[in-house]
Amino acid sequence: MTAPADHALPTADLFKNAFRTHPAGIAVITAQGPEGPVGLTASSVSSVSAEPPVLAFSVSTASSSAAALVRADTLVVHLLGADQLEIARLFATRGADRFGGAVAWRPLPTGEPLLADAPWALRCRILHRLPIGGSMIVAAEVLSIEQSGPDGTTPLVYHNRSYHRLDDRSMMD
């Protein structure tokens, strides 16, 4: 089967270009790995179900933290606000000391790292892991939610290879 003349066949670059224009919220996902705490920045977190509360995300298996993170039984998904831009950048940087002095965090009684400045932190239990290509899709049940910021926190958004803040000025009628 061939594609119609006005449609391009999918290539990795064309696929990336399409999603580059699709904005996404930013989260940092943390877990306690065998060697210590691990974490990474993700723009793929989405809600799946409200009852029971389930979310999903994908991670590149090339990420240095991905293996330990997806092997964990539990993890914490931190939904970031615009004030956490430096945290997002730190957890997106390969080889960075993510749990050094630059980030305020503490271990939960259950062992997972909790970032102190995230407006929302969702502690989750991994339900399913699905390897696809060079990525792993993870579905996780939310076990508890901690809110440390106001309900109206300005979210941090990733769009066209840049971070943005989403606020009332960007609202459309």
Side-chain angles (χ1 to χ4, degrees), residues 29-45:
I29 304 169
T30 60
Q32 180 61 37
E35 310 285 316
V38 295
L40 53 79
T41 299
S43 61
S44 62
V45 176

Side-chain angles (χ1 to χ4, degrees), residues 21-100:
T21 64
H22 184 71
I26 298 297
V28 167
I29 304 169
T30 60
Q32 180 61 37
E35 310 285 316
V38 295
L40 53 79
T41 299
S43 61
S44 62
V45 176
S46 63
S47 73
V48 173
S49 168
E51 292 184 28
V54 174
L55 58 81
F57 60 90
S58 67
V59 294
S60 168
T61 53
S63 165
S64 58
S65 298
L69 195 136
V70 299
R71 276 196 308 263
D73 292 327
T74 58
L75 48 81
V76 179
V77 176
H78 304 83
L79 304 178
L80 300 186
D83 293 343
Q84 286 79 46
L85 172 60
E86 293 310 314
I87 293 171
R89 286 183 172 151
L90 176 67
F91 279 81
T93 302
R94 183 178 283 282
D97 182 7
R98 296 176 176 124
F99 294 94

